[in-house]
Amino acid sequence: TYPNPLQDNSAYADVKQYFVHPDDVVTKDIVVRLNSPRGLHFRRAGPRQMVYFKPNEVRACIVTCGGLCPGLNTVIREIVCSLWNIYGVQDVLGIEGGYKGFYSRNTIPLNPKVVNDIHKRGGTILGTSRGGHSTSKIVDNIQDRDINQVYIIGGDGTQRGANAIYEEIRRRGLKVTVAGIPKTVDNDIAAIDKSFGFDTAVEEAQRAINAAHVEAECVENGVGLVKLMGRYSGYIAMHATLASRDVDCCLIPELPFYLDGEGGLFEYVRKRTRENGHCVIVVAEGAGQELVAESIQSMDQHDASGNRLLLDVGLWLSQKLKDYFLKEQKQVINLKYIDPTYMIRAIPSIASDNVYCSLLAQNAVHGAMSGYTGFTVGPVNGKHAYIPISRVTETQNQVKTTDRMWARLLSSTNQPSFLRSQEVLETKMQKESVKMLEELDANIKNATSPVWVGNGFAGMKVKCTQEVNGTAA
């Protein structure tokens, strides 16, 4: 180890206790019962008094993977500027086009002049892609290029890839650090408080909700429907709804909902339009996928990153609402459907996200220069920490519909809790089973072959009866 160049940096001359002690930790759970176990702790992020690398021996690379997210360029800029201006590292490469860029694309040299104003633009100057992860090819390339610091910016799929790279580097015994910067606009990265780009996404979602509200309230029987991002987690939809106060119903992947019957969505929308003259609905893209799948035959497909391809719940729900009001209520609704997904992903980050991205990037550089590897950086209970990548990828962060934040949303929208969704689903399945029994009975009566009746329909009937009323086979 070597003395940290920061101790000679005039910008930090007056900072007291700037260096983080190696034994400083951040606790994962800050609210615990008295006399409970000590619990899980992570190493506190920040500069150490001693560093592992000499600046003139460092060759670093940066790669962005997965979908776009506000703040990507800010993170790239701050990693480059921190390496150059804080530590004096002047050999920084950008990997173009995601993971496959390691072995199929040229690198681009990065310096403070190149990245000077990229934070004002959306997207990523390095380009990105899904998939293309070949651990052995990537590590071979890292080894061939004499790279000893790898900064990987991406979501949970990207971080799983980063962990595989770290394990392979460790297996080969290479002195290479792997640092992850968690990126997901959905805020579904586990262990950390929030991911960068989330605040920008919520802020931009307000524009879409406000537009839907104006459209809905200016016409008779107006319904505004906004689809927001949230494949597995409904954080954007929940926070945008709470911030807006104009939303009448928020649908998220964590809470199943149903359309017909008492306490269903149709009944609630009819009630709100009757009382207020209009209704605004926010739906996360991953909500109601089971209901959509019943109406639309589709294969269970995945994209190159391994994410399940979602059916368009927004278009489906729009048509269902129109059909219900026209056929059941004999009235036409003026429904306006807004999908701002790609507008949100492609914009530059707002001020709070810019500050947050700078902290993430600087702490990632501090960790890598100190010799830590296989970590992701992020805030845990307000304090930045180094978290093992494996810990970040083992679960997903999801909205807890039993906590107080969701209760605040329910009190704001006055929407039904959809607690009977399981009961409604079971009743529907039972009716379908009974209908199936009746069809089987009819088929048995019309059957002519005794072998077919005995081994075919009769066997299916016993099985179906057992499912409906518990009759023993």
Side-chain angles (χ1 to χ4, degrees):
T1 56
Y2 310 95
N4 195 323
L6 270 177
Q7 64 188 8
D8 300 321
N9 192 316
S10 59
Y12 299 95
D14 296 329
V15 179
K16 295 181 179 179
Q17 295 182 337
Y18 184 72
F19 294 117
V20 175
H21 193 279
D23 293 333
D24 284 357
V25 294
V26 178
T27 181
K28 183 177 184 294
D29 299 312
I30 57 173
V31 179
V32 296
R33 294 289 176 88
L34 193 63
N35 300 322
S36 62
R38 184 168 179 267
L40 185 66
H41 292 71
F42 302 115
R43 291 191 183 277
R44 186 181 175 191
R48 269 51 179 176
Q49 195 162 7
M50 305 297 287
V51 295
Y52 182 79
F53 293 97
K54 287 183 177 180
N56 59 357
E57 295 177 353
V58 172
R59 168 170 275 194
C61 74
I62 306 170
V63 63
T64 54
C65 307
L68 294 182
C69 175
L72 280 170
N73 278 334
T74 307
V75 174
I76 295 170
R77 181 187 187 277
E78 292 308 314
I79 291 175
V80 173
C81 290
S82 296
L83 285 168
W84 274 74
N85 299 334
I86 297 179
Y87 287 99
V89 174
Q90 298 185 2
D91 192 356
V92 185
L93 303 174
I95 307 296
E96 293 185 303
Y99 275 136
K100 64 183 180 183
F102 275 102
Y103 54 85
S104 64
R105 300 281 290 274
N106 291 325
T107 60
I108 57 174
L110 299 175
N111 57 58
K113 187 175 180 179
V114 171
V115 300
N116 181 49
D117 62 350
I118 63 172
H119 61 292
K120 299 175 183 177
R121 308 199 300 258
T124 164
I125 63 164
L126 299 179
T128 185
S129 66
R130 297 188 184 276
H133 187 279
S134 174
T135 305
S136 59
K137 285 184 179 181
I138 292 172
V139 177
D140 286 344
N141 187 274
I142 291 170
Q143 197 168 0
D144 292 342
R145 295 180 188 271
D146 292 324
I147 293 169
N148 51 17
Q149 288 187 12
V150 183
Y151 297 91
I152 300 174
I153 311 169
D156 54 350
T158 301
Q159 297 303 315
R160 282 193 291 271
N163 195 53
I165 293 170
Y166 156 68
E167 293 290 353
E168 178 63 16
I169 286 173
R170 187 180 180 184
R171 187 185 68 80
R172 297 188 189 186
L174 305 178
K175 301 299 182 183
V176 179
T177 64
V178 178
I181 296 94
K183 173 233 63 169
T184 167
V185 76
D186 297 347
N187 196 36
D188 58 0
I189 293 283
I192 64 174
D193 296 346
K194 68 176 179 180
S195 52
F196 73 83
F198 174 69
D199 284 351
T200 304
V202 172
E203 184 69 31
E204 191 66 15
Q206 295 297 292
R207 300 177 187 272
I209 294 174
N210 291 340
H213 182 244
V214 170
E215 289 280 357
E217 70 175 353
C218 290
V219 295
E220 184 180 2
N221 294 326
V223 176
L225 177 61
V226 180
K227 185 181 79 170
L228 298 176
M229 287 170 291
R231 181 181 296 273
Y232 304 112
S233 302
Y235 278 102
I236 293 178
M238 180 177 72
H239 281 258
T241 296
L242 282 168
S244 169
R245 300 289 171 174
D246 289 329
V247 178
D248 297 293
C249 187
C250 177
L251 306 173
I252 60 175
E254 293 88 341
L255 186 67
F257 66 92
Y258 56 97
L259 302 178
D260 300 292
E262 182 183 353
L265 182 63
F266 287 157
E267 180 188 70
Y268 177 68
V269 174
R270 185 181 76 246
K271 176 185 174 185
R272 296 300 280 186
T273 52
R274 186 185 300 138
E275 292 174 351
N276 301 334
H278 67 277
C279 180
V280 177
I281 304 169
V282 168
V283 58
E285 62 181 337
Q289 289 298 303
E290 297 79 10
L291 295 176
V292 186
E294 290 180 8
S295 304
I296 306 172
Q297 288 188 349
S298 67
M299 300 296 290
D300 189 20
Q301 298 177 331
H302 295 75
D303 63 17
S305 295
N307 298 314
R308 183 164 57 95
L309 291 177
L310 301 178
L311 303 170
D312 195 328
V313 66
L315 289 174
W316 172 82
L317 188 56
S318 298
Q319 194 58 50
K320 285 290 184 180
L321 285 167
K322 290 177 182 178
D323 292 344
Y324 169 76
F325 276 90
L326 185 62
K327 295 176 182 177
E328 302 294 330
Q329 303 301 313
K330 309 301 181 186
Q331 68 182 87
V332 177
I333 58 170
N334 287 294
L335 190 145
K336 299 296 186 294
Y337 172 50
I338 299 175
D339 180 0
T341 300
Y342 293 103
M343 292 175 59
I344 292 175
R345 293 184 354 152
I347 64 172
S349 53
I350 61 175
S352 61
D353 263 329
N354 271 337
V355 174
Y356 181 37
C357 289
S358 299
L359 291 174
L360 289 173
Q362 288 183 14
N363 282 316
V365 171
H366 291 321
M369 289 298 297
S370 300
Y372 291 112
T373 184
F375 70 89
T376 292
V377 64
V380 178
N381 298 315
K383 297 292 185 181
H384 283 252
Y386 296 137
I387 308 160
I389 297 177
S390 57
R391 176 73 63 175
V392 170
T393 58
E394 62 187 8
T395 59
Q396 283 187 316
N397 191 28
Q398 293 187 312
V399 173
K400 295 180 177 61
T401 56
T402 55
D403 73 359
R404 282 174 287 185
M405 185 62 82
W406 185 250
R408 294 184 188 109
L409 181 140
L410 294 179
S411 67
S412 170
T413 62
N414 294 312
Q415 70 187 64
S417 62
F418 300 113
L419 293 177
R420 292 182 58 246
S421 59
Q422 187 62 33
E423 178 186 336
V424 170
L425 181 63
E426 290 175 357
T427 302
K428 183 178 180 181
M429 290 177 63
Q430 191 173 33
K431 288 181 179 179
E432 290 177 351
S433 297
V434 171
K435 182 179 178 182
M436 187 178 180
L437 271 176
E438 293 172 351
E439 292 175 354
L440 288 171
D441 283 333
N443 286 328
I444 289 172
K445 291 176 182 178
N446 295 331
T448 56
S449 169
V451 175
W452 174 246
V453 172
N455 295 336
F457 286 120
M460 291 172 66
K461 182 180 179 183
V462 169
K463 181 180 179 184
C464 208
T465 304
Q466 187 176 10
E467 291 176 357
V468 174
N469 53 29
T471 303

